[in-house]
Amino acid sequence: MKRHLTALLALVAGLLALPAPAYASPAAATATAGTPASGQVLSPTPYMGWNTYYAFGGDPTEAEIKSTADFLVSSGLRDAGYQYVWIDGNWAAPTPRSAAGDLTPNPAQFPNGLKPLVDYIHSKGLKAGIYTDAGPYIPGKCGLGSHGYYQHDADQFAAWKFDAVKVDYLCGIAADLDPKTVYTEFAQALRNNASKRPMLFNLCNPVTSPEWGNYPEEQQSTYSWSYAPKIAQSWRTYTDVGFVDEIKFKDVLRNYDANARHPEAAGPGHFNDPDYLGPEHGMSDEEFRTQMTLWSVAAAPLIIGSDVTKLGKTSLSTLSDPDVLAINQDPAVVQAVRVGPAGTTETWVKRLANGDRAVVLLNRGDSPATLTTKASSVGLTGDRFTLKNAWTNQVTESAGTISAAVPAHGAALIRVGRATGKPGVPHVVAGLPQVTQVGGDAVPAGTAPLVAGGDQARVEVTVRNDGAQPVFTPRVGLAVPAGWSASPIGNAPKLLDSNRSATFAFTVTLPAGAAPGNVTLTATTSYEVIGKKRLQQETATAIVVAPAAPDGDVALSHHQWISATSGWMSPTVDLSVGGWSPISMVGQVHPTGIGVASPSTIRYYLGDQCSRLTTTVGIDDAVRNVGPEGGTSTFQVIGDGKVLFDSGVLTRDDTREADVDLTGVRVLDLVVGDAGDGGYNDRANWAGLDATC
């Protein structure tokens, strides 16, 4: 273990300190598949574009693709860099190959064939991508495969004038092929296409990720990095980032973490690929901005998975932010590495070609936090630093501390360089309003803030000065919803010196009839800087007002929850998740309960009104129809942050009964874990869930 830790620390230090050319030599970059004989690198920086898979859920049509191409131009996305229009799976005819061996597009979807569509895409100043599989076509198992036809298909794609090819592995794993062998053969075919046309090669074997089964190491997506940089422009590093219309923040983090395992594999012309961008496919705007931040510092290809013609202004603005894209497109093509420990909050650093650092302060947690690192920790020396917030464009100066107020599931992206010339505006961090107490009880760290009608809460706003000069008369005001009140506690300081912070506290009182739902607390922070007018920052935090607590003897599955997550799909009431059959465990059917996939958390507001909860937990019998792998979970009942019941590890042949004392519990969490082996086949049940209130 110590040897591995030492090696990891050496890798991080190397990635932060090396000059830009050391990351990938031109010779190494030009060795990738699809490189023309001239030695030109097809895409020196991560390529950008759009793909049909998540956008249309399969069966894309000529009309949809043309409409998207038009919108990429009219919206400005093309000019921002999104050039590739990629046709993913389900484009081929039901019998995908003709008697002559040619791949045939589905005439119902592409009545004019693919060549005229490619010409149309090119006429818009865009590039075209296509999809196939490294395995053979297997009726009933996978709909399109090129095995046995690699050169034939590469020649056909080139004749149609495609610019990029995505090669999947559904048919490959079904035929038990060796990924390295067949992908290397396909890469050779692309390089040797009859038209001598350069085509990007996106190597894609996500179905073999550990998430979906116990595959041999050499077949897994997590192994691709060991050979793909020599043959492909990009390679998928884990399973799909989500399902059609359902991309979850937790899976974005999962894919980012898997993608981060081998930053040394990335460089000019070849990139780790954590999958597509998913605006408005299940994440909040804040969560998608975090995905965009992480993909940008990962030097990842930026391929939009949504129907861009339906995106709102916020999503389009996030996709096209010039400072963020500049970090992604930095010519050094260095992938970010984590500095410091993994945890709920983290620091990630990407070295840029001019010596600056792109610093990410990541908040994986459910409550806002002010996150901090040092310039020295990210590989910079000196006593003055310019900080530019890539999302807000705010430019400030720091004496060496890099801080940001980061919302729950958020990420600050700051470009940091050495400062020169006259002193700049001090880097002052106005904290996000944070609920620290409710009714005199401390809110557990990292817990999403929750209040209810009649509550009195303590709300704090912490203000930091990371600049070299003091700021004067700092003040904070707190705006609350109509009918609420906010009273300041204590006195404001006269100044905030360098490297100091001050906490401004308020007592917030809710009316008894406060309506349930999400509300926003907004803090306005102002301060004076020598030689400047009074400066002001506004920060806001969303908090949840709980629904009414249960009353009497109730099945919690029929009571309104505050929030509910499932490892995949969504929690189902009185049914098993995924199968949508009655809840059944070890042959016993239960009429009420909740079905989830791990990991999962379901939260209820009890308001100190309940005394007892009984439930039976276990794996649903639906798992017996889908194979022997996986199907292990853990179950915990947590009251106000304290574990009240822990099942231990349960398999599909186990159940546990719980009888839990809920006296004094205000907030109840029902938590399902994956037992350490991933969520494969973890269809978990909370049966009964009978509460006495």
Side-chain angles (χ1 to χ4, degrees):
M1 177 64 72
K2 183 176 180 180
R3 183 172 64 252
H4 293 316
L5 178 59
T6 301
L8 177 60
L9 292 174
L11 171 62
V12 170
L15 288 173
L16 292 177
L18 286 174
Y23 288 98
S25 68
T30 56
T32 56
T35 302
S38 66
Q40 174 192 0
V41 179
L42 293 185
S43 182
T45 58
Y47 56 85
M48 300 166 59
W50 168 86
N51 181 283
T52 63
Y53 176 71
Y54 288 111
F56 301 131
D59 303 326
T61 67
E62 176 183 309
E64 290 171 330
I65 293 168
K66 283 185 173 181
S67 175
T68 300
D70 293 343
F71 187 82
L72 289 173
V73 176
S74 65
S75 66
L77 286 172
R78 179 199 63 183
D79 294 341
Y82 295 92
Q83 292 185 318
Y84 285 87
V85 176
W86 218 305
I87 304 170
D88 210 288
N90 297 332
W91 62 265
T95 301
R97 202 173 291 277
S98 70
D102 294 334
L103 290 174
T104 305
N106 191 323
Q109 299 164 235
F110 303 97
N112 300 304
L114 290 183
K115 179 60 169 62
L117 178 57
V118 172
D119 290 343
Y120 184 85
I121 292 170
H122 286 161
S123 75
K124 296 293 180 177
L126 297 162
K127 297 181 179 181
I130 192 63
Y131 167 100
T132 188
D133 194 287
Y137 166 55
I138 306 174
K141 287 191 175 181
C142 51
L144 174 63
S146 288
H147 192 252
Y149 294 87
Y150 288 168
Q151 195 61 62
H152 188 98
D153 291 354
D155 292 345
Q156 188 172 359
F157 294 150
W160 281 337
K161 296 190 176 180
F162 278 101
D163 304 289
V165 183
K166 171 182 174 179
V167 185
D168 210 339
Y169 208 63
L170 294 169
C171 303
I173 196 63
D176 197 28
L177 301 177
D178 175 62
K180 179 179 179 180
T181 299
V182 295
Y183 277 130
T184 301
E185 292 171 356
F186 201 104
Q188 185 71 24
L190 282 180
R191 284 198 298 270
N192 294 336
N193 74 80
S195 303
K196 301 188 183 303
R197 184 172 184 81
M199 290 183 283
L200 287 179
F201 177 19
N202 174 227
L203 187 158
C204 181
N205 59 338
V207 72
T208 57
S209 297
E211 192 83 3
W212 301 111
N214 186 24
Y215 294 99
E217 181 183 8
E218 63 274 9
Q219 287 189 339
Q220 293 184 18
S221 59
T222 50
Y223 188 72
S224 299
W225 71 275
S226 67
Y227 60 88
K230 296 180 180 179
I231 62 172
Q233 274 68 47
S234 63
W235 51 95
R236 283 284 300 280
T237 51
Y238 209 62
T239 188
D240 290 352
V241 75
F243 297 89
V244 174
D245 293 326
E246 190 179 43
I247 295 177
K248 299 181 178 181
F249 182 66
K250 70 175 186 62
D251 294 332
V252 163
L253 294 179
R254 175 202 64 195
N255 275 34
Y256 177 77
D257 290 338
N259 191 79
R261 292 173 187 167
H262 292 285
E264 73 277 13
H270 46 99
F271 323 107
N272 285 308
D273 176 13
D275 203 14
Y276 302 149
L277 299 169
E280 299 181 33
H281 266 247
M283 289 184 287
S284 68
D285 290 342
E286 189 69 53
E287 289 170 336
F288 172 59
R289 192 179 296 111
T290 299
Q291 185 192 18
M292 189 73 181
T293 296
L294 296 176
W295 265 230
S296 292
V297 298
L302 300 181
I303 300 295
I304 305 167
S306 309
D307 182 351
V308 290
T309 67
K310 296 180 180 178
L311 292 180
K313 290 182 179 179
T314 299
S315 295
L316 292 174
S317 177
T318 299
L319 287 165
S320 57
D321 187 282
D323 291 317
V324 178
L325 293 181
I327 289 170
N328 175 258
Q329 295 293 301
D330 185 78
V333 191
V334 175
Q335 184 171 319
V337 293
R338 191 181 67 245
V339 176
T344 302
T345 61
E346 295 174 344
T347 300
W348 293 78
V349 184
K350 173 184 174 72
R351 188 195 185 284
L352 303 176
N354 71 344
D356 287 357
R357 302 295 192 267
V359 177
V360 175
L361 300 174
L362 173 63
N363 183 4
R364 299 170 183 256
D366 294 330
S367 62
T370 295
L371 308 185
T372 301
T373 189
K374 295 288 186 180
S376 57
S377 299
V378 303
L380 292 173
T381 58
D383 54 11
R384 294 176 57 205
F385 303 91
T386 297
L387 278 56
K388 182 174 184 180
N389 187 311
W391 288 114
T392 67
N393 299 322
Q394 181 187 46
V395 179
T396 54
E397 185 173 306
S398 168
T401 300
I402 304 164
S403 301
V406 187
H409 297 187
L413 177 57
I414 304 170
R415 184 168 185 140
V416 184
R418 295 182 183 88
T420 58
K422 295 181 179 179
V425 175
H427 183 66
V428 174
V429 178
L432 293 140
Q434 190 153 8
V435 179
T436 58
Q437 292 181 9
V438 177
D441 295 329
V443 175
T447 302
L450 175 70
V451 292
D455 277 346
Q456 191 172 81
R458 180 184 175 96
V459 176
E460 297 180 351
V461 178
T462 298
V463 182
R464 293 180 53 93
N465 177 16
D466 295 332
Q469 304 297 322
V471 298
F472 299 91
T473 59
R475 298 290 184 268
V476 175
L478 185 67
V480 296
W484 298 30
S485 67
S487 303
I489 303 171
N491 299 315
K494 293 181 179 180
L495 65 80
L496 195 56
D497 213 341
S498 175
N499 292 315
R500 292 291 186 269
S501 64
T503 298
F504 297 77
F506 300 83
T507 297
V508 174
T509 304
L510 283 69
N518 292 328
V519 300
T520 300
L521 304 181
T522 303
T524 301
T525 301
S526 64
Y527 46 92
E528 293 180 4
V529 176
I530 295 176
K532 304 285 184 182
K533 62 182 180 181
R534 191 167 183 85
L535 302 179
Q536 181 172 297
Q537 298 182 43
E538 190 173 278
T539 55
T541 297
I543 64 172
V544 175
V545 180
D551 184 19
D553 294 331
V554 298
L556 281 185
S557 60
H558 297 168
H559 184 72
Q560 182 180 354
W561 55 52
I562 297 166
S563 60
T565 65
S566 179
W568 45 275
M569 299 187 177
S570 299
T572 49
V573 174
D574 299 342
L575 297 172
S576 67
V577 71
W580 300 284
S581 54
I583 289 173
S584 174
M585 295 176 290
V586 197
Q588 178 68 44
V589 175
H590 300 262
T592 61
I594 300 174
V596 299
S598 74
S600 165
T601 299
I602 300 174
R603 169 166 287 193
Y604 288 100
Y605 176 70
L606 304 185
D608 300 349
Q609 300 299 307
C610 302
S611 60
R612 185 184 184 196
L613 173 71
T614 58
T615 184
T616 303
V617 297
I619 304 299
D620 197 89
D621 288 336
V623 172
R624 301 178 189 278
N625 300 322
V626 292
E629 301 86 5
T632 56
S633 293
T634 59
F635 298 78
Q636 289 185 322
V637 177
I638 300 176
D640 297 328
K642 298 179 180 179
V643 177
L644 307 178
F645 165 79
D646 191 326
S647 69
V649 176
L650 301 185
T651 72
R652 65 189 67 196
D653 296 317
D654 301 319
T655 61
R656 290 284 188 278
E657 293 186 357
D659 192 334
V660 183
D661 182 357
L662 297 181
T663 302
V665 172
R666 181 172 176 272
V667 179
L668 181 74
D669 288 315
L670 306 177
V671 179
V672 176
D674 66 6
D677 61 356
Y680 192 63
N681 281 342
D682 286 0
R683 302 186 186 188
N685 293 326
W686 296 95
L689 281 177
D690 296 317
T692 302
C693 303

